[in-house]
Amino acid sequence: MAKQASFIKLEGTMGDVTFFKAKDGFIAKQKTAPNADSIATGANFQRTRENNSEFGRAGKAAKLMRIAVHSLLKNAKDSKGFARLTKEMMRVLKADATSIRGQRNVVDGEAELLQGFEFNGNASFNSIFFPAYIAAIDRVAGTLSVNIPALIPNQDILIPEGTTHFAVVSAAAEIDFETGQFTEASTISAVLPWNGNAAGPIAMSNAVTPNSTHPLFLLLGVQFYQQVNGINYTLKNGAFNPLNIVKVSGI
């Protein structure tokens, strides 16, 4: 702590230095950050420890989900996807009505809050894919299915420039957020031309553990391709591929 010597007396904060008037005159004091021991044990940081604990738990759950659906996520993601999913996991965790603050968790929260989550923030599924599909989860049988009626591609699917073909993808994920274990299954339709001819219907079913006691997630998405000389190339590395959690069954 030091006294201000200048004839111009300052009050407020500049960078890491705070200027203020005290009984002994105008003082300049450098801000100090709390050390790790203070945060870990200090009574003043109880709320901080609780918040850090729950945020870490939400981040761990988000990472596990991304790993579980990696087979589809590698072709449908954006640079802020993990942060967005962690934020949604915090909503799930905060819905835990049984655990005390600092110990709330995803398992006792409301996994259904994740329904509608877009893994690719640059491609909204519902703004791209218009058919009235039916999504269903049969927990007893362990099947997560999607049924899509016959569609007219150039009327029912909005495509990015350069697309000539597309495929519909779905995935089921059974996730144990306590142990970090998961079961995943995915299905992809035939690669279909984007034109005015009727396509489908499309039925996809993915199997997980029958009578599971863990949250179940059903994902649905579209992959876009450009066909050149009979070979289908993923359009811009999947930058425009939507992938959505269309149905959730909590526990």
Side-chain angles (χ1 to χ4, degrees):
M1 186 182 300
K3 290 185 178 181
Q4 297 183 44
S6 171
F7 69 92
I8 299 176
K9 304 306 180 184
L10 303 174
E11 293 187 62
T13 300
M14 297 178 61
D16 292 332
V17 180
T18 299
F19 302 90
F20 60 96
K21 183 179 181 181
K23 64 180 180 179
D24 295 326
F26 286 87
I27 304 298
K29 180 180 180 181
Q30 186 172 17
K31 292 192 295 184
T32 58
N35 58 41
D37 288 340
S38 296
I39 295 175
T41 61
N44 292 338
F45 294 99
Q46 177 66 27
R47 296 285 86 83
T48 300
R49 291 193 294 274
E50 293 169 353
N51 292 338
N52 287 347
S53 176
E54 293 187 347
F55 184 78
R57 204 170 290 122
K60 184 177 180 181
K63 180 179 180 180
L64 178 60
M65 171 165 279
R66 286 170 62 87
I67 292 172
V69 300
H70 175 71
S71 63
L72 297 188
L73 189 60
K74 63 184 179 181
N75 289 319
K77 60 184 178 180
D78 66 272
S79 61
K80 297 180 180 179
F82 178 71
R84 291 189 298 103
L85 183 55
T86 299
K87 180 179 179 180
E88 294 306 302
M89 284 294 185
M90 281 295 294
R91 290 181 62 219
V92 172
L93 180 149
K94 288 180 178 180
D96 176 358
T98 60
S99 305
I100 62 173
R101 181 169 175 170
Q103 295 182 20
R104 290 177 296 184
N105 59 83
V106 171
V107 175
D108 294 320
E110 295 292 336
E112 288 83 359
L113 292 173
L114 293 173
Q115 187 164 310
F117 179 78
E118 301 279 5
F119 282 96
N120 187 352
N122 298 319
S124 170
F125 181 80
N126 290 328
S127 297
I128 291 172
F129 192 80
F130 304 123
Y133 62 88
I134 298 174
I137 296 179
D138 186 334
R139 180 175 287 275
V140 174
T143 57
L144 292 83
S145 60
V146 176
N147 286 284
I148 303 169
L151 55 90
I152 306 298
N154 65 6
Q155 297 178 17
D156 293 324
I157 302 176
L158 186 66
I159 62 168
E161 184 178 357
T163 298
T164 62
H165 290 69
F166 71 95
V168 180
V169 295
S170 72
E174 170 194 2
I175 304 178
D176 184 343
F177 289 105
E178 289 184 319
T179 67
Q181 301 298 308
F182 62 86
T183 299
E184 182 269 349
S186 61
T187 305
I188 183 168
S189 72
V191 176
L192 303 168
W194 187 82
N195 56 26
N197 298 326
I202 299 171
M204 295 184 286
S205 182
N206 302 292
V208 294
T209 307
N211 294 302
S212 173
T213 58
H214 306 301
L216 304 178
F217 303 89
L218 176 59
L219 285 66
L220 186 62
V222 183
Q223 294 184 359
F224 296 112
Y225 304 93
Q226 185 176 86
Q227 189 176 95
V228 179
N229 296 329
I231 299 176
N232 295 312
Y233 297 90
T234 301
L235 198 69
K236 293 192 176 181
N237 297 318
F240 303 111
N241 292 342
L243 182 63
N244 186 282
I245 300 178
V246 294
K247 200 168 187 62
V248 179
S249 174
I251 55 175

